[in-house]
């Protein structure tokens, strides 16, 4: 029953979410409490003005041509390159700076848009108030969560952040006799999201920040300390999510600090430095440079009697007992095996399925435990081409698996031994898909899966050459279609690295020439292939639907080639029509709905051809592959298996042009056409819904292309089982990795991000699976009929009797 398949997929997805929930919140500095060290100063603590600049990127802050005031102050004080918090979200990075702990979680993304979120009680601000100190905040609402510790709070709208307004509020705050005055500036972050880091608006916004900081510094009394820090930066594409190179910057200026000092910090180190500066109790979690290299000797002697606090970082502490990670791993493994048994219990040979699943999970667990060694030996090719021989590993495992499953009752129902070549091709593809490491290195760039898919296409084409020779008029169209599929897969192989590596992780983007300068050609070719292989075959039965689809495809081409954007109201009307049509008219006008969805993509991806071209080419390759399978001289069962495998590979590879297999690919700037940039914190849920549509639509389109084929239960089983198995294997790998590694690194974040994305693909596929109420259209049987995966051909009427 189809509902059982959906329930199985949902359980597998929930297992992945549970894995993220159990491992994502493990901080790199441990969760155990650390005893606070008293910082007693001989004189009254100095007055400190703390300027927080949202999205202060290191590259921008150190550019003397853009920010001359900051450059001057950096020469007079101590400046630092700062590693942001793991999730690189504003509220989490501020909390890390005020607490000294990076306890972020991938499941807390929505909290970034909740300015009323209550901060933790144990912060730098609460420590100041406990010593009867006062804190005044002016500017944005980023420090509003800590309002319980504030003496006064003077709000300033983002668009009103001018030097005159900020200085006026600062003069008013001087009357509070506050020990710490916080100036919070967030307009620059809004501009970065709305216009990008290369825009004139971005340059002007940070030039204004520079003028504000310079005038604040000039207005301070000689004994007042000035601290400027950011929460995160932006990478070259304007992003600041887990895995991006988005280092920020900090300045400590005043009589307490050495002039010209340069060093690197974690954002959590701000808590220790500010604690020493302000004379409040501070936990020993400091990992930065020696305090003597930052603070002046005379200041340390006058204030602290020359005694430097022992703020060395404690040893990392794991959460729970030593056995907890292993128990978690055992539970996840047992749950995955139980799911495999439940899925196969109604079929013969369920024991073989469980054994196969156990083997996959054992490999995944071993990979997680020995992850570093395996990656260095097999996956991190670096500049050693001979390591490309590691591709022989999935090839060998796939061939061995093909030898095991040939003739297995649960594979071919015991009719005949399966043909070697197609079985080996599918097995290599499956092994590569399931056991590929979740990393942004060679295999993580998904090129191994691309090679395995090309190998499978070539093997299947070669396997069916002989029967096609007997039909000289039937081989050309499928051969051309598969050649196009191979070319598209090949275009997904070249990649380029975006920015430097960040904590052992790097980001990549497609680098094939067809997705750069002549992207317009790829867009036209993709639409032509989609029309002739997916839409035009239905012209005889639905002529009006095909004509409407042709019109919408033409409109999409014109919009993309002109680099234009239709008015937002037009896209709103189109989206409403798509929703209503999918609810009531998807059987009468499926082609028009599909073409309308392609036009909607132009808005979701801002008409960027470099993003749209690979998405549409992958959709076209999916349609071409299904077109070829339907005309191959094989059985309905084999065609169903091929349709399922095609949907799995296409859905997984679709994550590359959409998000780059990484959460860093998320971009909600297109939503600023619907929500004013200054109001995005208030209407975060609307932006979240828009992002769900943006990420889900290309994945749903893959399933829609294969919709008629996926009415067969075998095809639907392969799609659901493929993504469920990937989610289960990743869950086991991550659980094993968490048992032997700390989860605070960018590499761990990349693993968790990929697991979430795989679960998202699984849910999108389940949502788009068709029902079985209407049987698929009958296909003409070829002269050559093959028992599933059998190499021997049989012709004539007897062939039909020997079919499955």
């Amino acid at each position: 029953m189809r509902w059982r398949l959906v329930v199985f997929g949902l359980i597998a997805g929930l297992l992945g979410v549970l894995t993220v929930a159990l491992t994502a919140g493990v901080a790199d500095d441990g969760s155990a409490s650390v005893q606070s060290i008293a910082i007693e100063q001989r004189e009254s603590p100095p007055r400190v003005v703390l300027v927080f600049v949202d999205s202060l990127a290191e590259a921008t802050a150190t550019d003397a041509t853009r920010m001359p005031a900051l450059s001057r102050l950096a020469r007079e004080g101590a400046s630092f390159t700062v590693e942001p918090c793991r999730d690189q979200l504003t509220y989490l990075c501020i909390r890390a700076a005020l607490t000294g702990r990076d306890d972020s979680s991938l499941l807390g993304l929505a909290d970034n848009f909740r300015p009323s979120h209550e901060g933790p009680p144990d912060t730098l601000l609460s420590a100041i108030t406990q010593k009867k100190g006062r804190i005044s905040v002016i500017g944005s609402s980023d420090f509003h969560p800590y309002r319980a510790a504030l003496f006064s709070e003077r709000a300033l709208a983002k668009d009103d952040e001018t030097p005159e307004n900020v200085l006026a509020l600062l003069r008013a705050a001087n009357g509070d006799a506050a020990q710490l005055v916080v100036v919070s500036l967030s307009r620059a972050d809004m501009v970065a999201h709305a216009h990008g880091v290369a825009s004139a608006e971005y340059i002007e916004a940070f030039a204004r920040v520079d003028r504000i900081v310079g005038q604040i510094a000039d207005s301070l009394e000689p004994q007042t300390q000035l601290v400027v820090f950011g929460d995160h930066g932006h990478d070259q594409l304007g992003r600041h999510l887990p895995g991006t190179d988005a280092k920020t910057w900090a300045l400590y200026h005043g009589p307490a600090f050495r002039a010209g000092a340069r060093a690197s910090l974690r954002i959590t180190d701000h808590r220790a430095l500010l604690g020493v500066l302000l004379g409040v109790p501070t936990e020993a979690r400091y990992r930065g440079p020696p305090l003597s290299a930052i603070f002046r000797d005379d200041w340390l002697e006058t204030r602290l009697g020359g005694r430097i606090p022992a703020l060395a970082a404690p040893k990392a502490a794991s959460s729970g007992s030593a056995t907890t990670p292993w128990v978690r791993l055992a539970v996840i493994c047992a749950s995955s095996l139980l799911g495999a048994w439940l899925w196969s219990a109604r079929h013969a040979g369920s024991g073989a399925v469980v054994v196969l699943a156990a083997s996959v999970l054992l490999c995944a667990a071993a990979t997680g435990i020995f992850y570093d060694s395996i990656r260095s030996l097999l996956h991190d090719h670096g500049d050693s081409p001979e390591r490309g021989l590691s591709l022989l590993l999935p090839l060998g495992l796939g061939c061995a698996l093909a030898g095991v499953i040939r003739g297995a009752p649960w594979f071919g129902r015991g009719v005949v031994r399966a043909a070697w070549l197609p079985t080996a091709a599918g097995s290599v593809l499956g092994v590569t898909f399931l056991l590929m490491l979740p990393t942004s290195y060679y295999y993580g760039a998904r090129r191994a899966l691309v090679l395995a898919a090309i190998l499978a296409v070539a093997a299947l084409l070669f396997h069916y050459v002989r029967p096609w020779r007997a039909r000289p008029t039937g081989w050309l169209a499928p051969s051309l279609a598969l050649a196009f599929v191979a070319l598209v897969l090949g275009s997904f192989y070249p990649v380029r690295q975006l920015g430097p590596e960040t904590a052992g992780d790097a980001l990549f983007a497609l680098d094939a020439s067809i997705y750069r300068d002549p992207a317009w050609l790829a867009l036209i070719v993709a639409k032509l292939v989609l029309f002739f292989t997916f839409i035009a075959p239905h012209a005889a039965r639905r002529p009006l639907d095909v004509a409407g689809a042709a019109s919408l495809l033409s409109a999409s081409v014109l919009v993309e080639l002109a680099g234009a954007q239709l008015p937002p109201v037009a896209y709103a009307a189109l989206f409403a029509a798509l929703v209503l049509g999918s609810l009531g008219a998807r059987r009468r006008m499926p082609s028009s709905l599909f073409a309308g969805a392609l036009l909607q993509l132009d808005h979701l991806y801002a008409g960027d051809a470099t993003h749209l071209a690979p998405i549409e080419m992958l959709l076209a390759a999916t349609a071409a592959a299904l077109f070829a399978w339907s005309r191959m001289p094989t059985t309905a069962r084999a065609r169903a298996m091929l349709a399922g495998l095609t949907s799995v590979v296409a859905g997984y590879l679709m994550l590359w042009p959409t998000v780059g297999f990484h959460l860093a690919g998320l971009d909600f700037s297109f939503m600023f056409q619907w929500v004013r940039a200054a109001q995005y914190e208030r209407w975060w849920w609307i932006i979240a819904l828009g992002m769900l549509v943006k990420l889900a639509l290309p994945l749903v389109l893959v399933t829609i292309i294969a919709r008629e084929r996926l009415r067969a239960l075998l095809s639907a089983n392969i799609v659901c089982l493929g993504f469920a198995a990937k989610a289960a294997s990743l869950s086991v790998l991550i659980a094993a990795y968490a048992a032997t590694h700390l989860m605070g690194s960018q590499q761990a974040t990349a693993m968790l991000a990929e697991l979430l994305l795989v679960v998202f693909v699984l849910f999108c596929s389940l949502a788009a699976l068709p029902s079985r109420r209407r049987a698929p259209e009958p296909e003409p049987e070829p002269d050559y009929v093959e028992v599933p995966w059998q190499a021997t051909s049989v012709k004539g009427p007897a062939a039909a009797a020997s079919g499955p």
Side-chain angles (χ1 to χ4, degrees):
M1 295 295 291
R2 189 62 60 99
W3 67 267
R4 291 180 179 175
L5 185 65
V6 173
V7 171
F8 172 76
L10 291 176
I11 293 174
L14 293 177
L15 176 64
V17 174
L18 177 64
T19 302
V20 176
L22 292 175
T23 58
V26 180
D28 59 351
D29 55 359
S31 58
S33 60
V34 178
Q35 184 177 4
S36 294
I37 298 174
I39 310 292
E40 297 294 341
Q41 297 192 16
R42 293 182 174 181
E43 301 178 7
S44 297
R47 181 171 178 265
V48 177
V49 174
L50 180 65
V51 180
F52 165 69
V53 181
D54 199 345
S55 299
L56 180 62
E58 177 196 17
T60 303
T62 55
D63 188 343
T65 60
R66 291 188 178 186
M67 307 194 79
L70 276 187
S71 299
R72 171 178 60 84
L73 295 172
R75 293 191 297 270
E76 300 171 357
S79 59
F80 305 92
T81 297
V82 181
E83 188 71 34
C85 68
R86 185 176 60 167
D87 283 31
Q88 298 187 14
L89 300 176
T90 297
Y91 107 92
L92 292 173
C93 289
I94 291 178
R95 188 168 74 182
L98 296 180
T99 63
R101 305 181 188 185
D102 185 2
D103 55 354
S104 58
S105 169
L106 284 174
L107 298 182
L109 290 177
D111 286 340
N112 183 47
F113 302 100
R114 297 176 183 168
S116 61
H117 183 85
E118 291 295 335
D122 183 17
T123 66
L124 173 74
L125 307 182
S126 61
I128 294 174
T129 57
Q130 288 173 7
K131 296 195 68 173
K132 309 302 181 182
R134 291 182 176 182
I135 304 167
S136 297
V137 173
I138 64 175
S140 68
S141 60
D142 289 319
F143 287 80
H144 186 66
Y146 310 95
R147 58 188 177 276
L150 305 181
F151 177 78
S152 68
E153 190 174 10
R154 295 174 174 86
L156 184 65
K158 295 180 180 181
D159 291 333
D160 295 332
E161 291 177 2
T162 63
E164 297 76 17
N165 292 336
V166 172
L167 288 176
L169 290 180
L170 185 60
R171 286 192 294 269
N174 291 336
D176 297 337
Q179 181 184 358
L180 176 65
V181 178
V182 180
V183 180
S184 181
L185 307 174
S186 60
R187 182 180 181 274
D189 177 70
M190 177 189 71
V191 173
H193 284 301
H195 301 285
V197 298
S199 65
E201 292 84 354
Y202 179 89
I203 296 173
E204 189 279 329
F206 277 95
R208 179 187 293 188
V209 168
D210 187 66
R211 293 194 298 272
I212 293 174
V213 174
Q215 293 186 27
I216 289 176
D218 294 339
S219 68
L220 297 180
E221 298 177 353
Q223 295 303 313
T224 301
Q225 314 287 345
L226 173 66
V227 177
V228 181
F229 82 103
D231 52 347
H232 54 73
H234 286 90
D235 69 355
Q236 295 177 351
L237 300 181
R239 305 171 302 188
H240 62 88
L241 284 166
T244 55
D245 179 47
K247 287 185 174 64
T248 184
W249 188 80
L251 165 72
Y252 284 72
H253 181 275
F257 304 102
R258 293 181 179 272
R262 303 287 186 274
S264 298
L265 296 174
R266 299 185 182 189
I267 197 166
T268 52
D269 292 330
H270 284 311
R271 172 62 179 90
L273 292 179
L274 292 171
V276 173
L277 180 62
L278 291 164
V280 296
T282 302
E283 290 183 346
R285 294 183 180 274
Y286 181 67
R287 299 173 184 269
L291 298 181
S292 59
I294 301 174
F295 291 94
R296 292 168 55 97
D297 293 336
D298 56 349
W299 190 88
L300 292 172
E301 181 64 33
T302 302
R303 295 280 181 170
L304 302 178
R307 294 188 300 271
I308 300 177
L311 296 180
K315 294 182 178 180
S318 60
S319 58
S321 64
T323 60
T324 300
W326 299 103
V327 172
R328 183 189 304 140
L329 173 61
V331 170
I332 293 175
C333 287
S335 301
S336 302
L337 289 176
L338 178 62
W341 180 79
L342 290 175
W343 177 79
S344 60
R346 295 173 58 86
H347 306 282
S350 60
V353 175
V354 174
V355 171
L356 181 61
S359 302
V360 172
L361 297 179
L362 180 63
C363 291
T367 302
I369 294 173
F370 304 105
Y371 180 85
D372 298 325
S373 299
I374 292 176
R375 189 183 71 178
S376 64
L377 289 173
L378 300 179
H379 292 69
D380 185 8
H381 288 208
D383 56 357
S384 302
E386 63 273 10
R387 289 187 176 178
L389 295 175
S390 63
L391 292 175
L392 296 177
L393 178 63
L395 181 64
L397 290 176
C399 292
L401 179 62
V404 171
I405 65 177
R406 289 179 69 205
W410 50 272
F411 183 78
R413 296 185 179 177
V415 180
V416 291
R417 287 176 64 82
W420 166 257
L421 195 57
T423 307
S427 299
V428 171
L429 190 62
V431 168
T432 307
F433 174 69
L434 290 179
L435 298 185
M436 185 169 50
L437 286 188
T439 171
S440 292
Y441 283 98
Y442 185 82
Y443 269 13
R446 281 64 198 175
R447 292 186 287 181
L449 183 63
V450 167
L451 293 179
I454 294 175
L455 176 64
V457 169
L460 290 169
L461 183 61
F462 175 79
H463 179 71
Y464 292 109
V465 165
R466 287 183 302 168
W468 273 345
R469 289 177 179 173
R471 303 176 59 203
T473 60
W475 66 273
L476 182 59
S479 297
L480 291 176
L482 290 182
F484 174 76
V485 172
L487 289 174
V488 173
L489 289 171
S491 71
F492 274 60
Y493 190 84
V495 296
R496 69 180 186 276
Q497 184 171 329
L498 299 177
E501 296 179 4
T502 303
D505 190 39
L507 293 176
F508 293 86
L510 295 175
D511 198 38
S513 59
I514 61 172
Y515 301 137
R516 288 186 275 118
D517 296 334
W520 59 270
L521 179 61
L523 291 170
I524 294 177
V525 170
K527 289 180 176 62
L528 290 174
V529 173
L530 283 169
F531 182 80
F532 286 110
T533 60
F534 176 62
I535 297 176
H538 305 288
R541 293 187 300 108
R542 298 190 298 265
L544 293 179
D545 178 38
V546 173
S551 300
L552 289 170
L553 287 178
S554 301
S556 179
V557 169
L558 293 176
V559 169
E560 292 168 354
L561 295 186
Q565 282 285 296
L566 297 177
V569 64
Y571 286 113
L574 176 61
F575 181 72
L578 291 175
V579 173
L580 295 176
S582 64
L583 294 176
R586 64 179 181 271
R587 294 183 180 180
R588 295 189 297 272
M589 46 187 298
S591 299
S592 295
L593 291 174
F594 178 84
L598 286 182
L599 182 58
Q600 188 72 34
L601 286 178
D602 294 339
H603 170 61
L604 298 178
Y605 290 88
D608 185 0
T610 59
H611 276 87
L612 291 170
I615 292 175
E616 295 187 9
M617 288 290 279
L618 188 55
L619 292 173
T622 305
L626 294 173
F627 171 83
W629 306 146
S630 67
R631 284 157 177 76
M632 274 189 170
T634 183
T635 63
R637 179 179 176 84
R639 287 194 292 272
M641 296 184 68
L642 290 171
L645 287 173
T646 301
S647 300
V648 170
V649 174
Y652 189 66
L653 287 180
M654 186 58 76
L655 290 175
W656 183 265
T658 53
V659 296
F661 284 98
H662 209 286
L663 288 179
L666 299 174
D667 177 20
F668 57 85
S669 60
F670 76 98
M671 285 300 298
F672 288 149
Q673 295 188 37
W674 307 98
V675 178
R676 288 183 56 198
Q679 298 293 324
Y680 80 95
E681 292 177 337
R682 178 180 180 185
W683 301 105
W684 66 269
W685 58 276
I686 295 180
I687 294 178
L689 290 176
M691 284 303 305
L692 287 177
V693 173
K694 177 179 179 177
L695 297 181
L697 187 56
L699 300 171
V700 170
L701 290 179
V702 170
T703 308
I704 289 177
I705 289 176
R707 187 176 181 85
E708 293 302 318
R709 309 295 177 189
L710 295 180
R711 293 188 187 280
L713 187 59
L714 177 59
S715 298
N717 264 295
I718 290 176
V719 172
C720 179
L721 183 62
F723 288 120
K726 181 63 177 178
S729 63
L730 261 180
S731 298
V732 171
L733 187 150
I734 292 172
Y737 183 89
T740 53
H741 298 74
L742 293 173
M743 295 298 290
S745 65
Q746 294 286 4
Q747 182 60 64
T749 302
M751 293 182 182
L752 295 169
E754 179 164 338
L755 178 56
L756 285 177
L757 290 172
V758 169
V759 170
F760 186 76
V761 176
L762 172 60
F763 287 165
C764 289
S765 300
L766 291 176
L769 280 179
S771 65
R772 299 190 71 197
R773 294 179 182 176
R774 185 168 63 91
E777 299 174 6
E779 299 175 0
E781 289 292 338
D783 296 334
Y784 171 91
V785 180
E786 180 191 31
V787 178
W789 304 104
Q790 185 183 11
T792 305
S793 62
V794 186
K795 296 183 178 179
S802 65

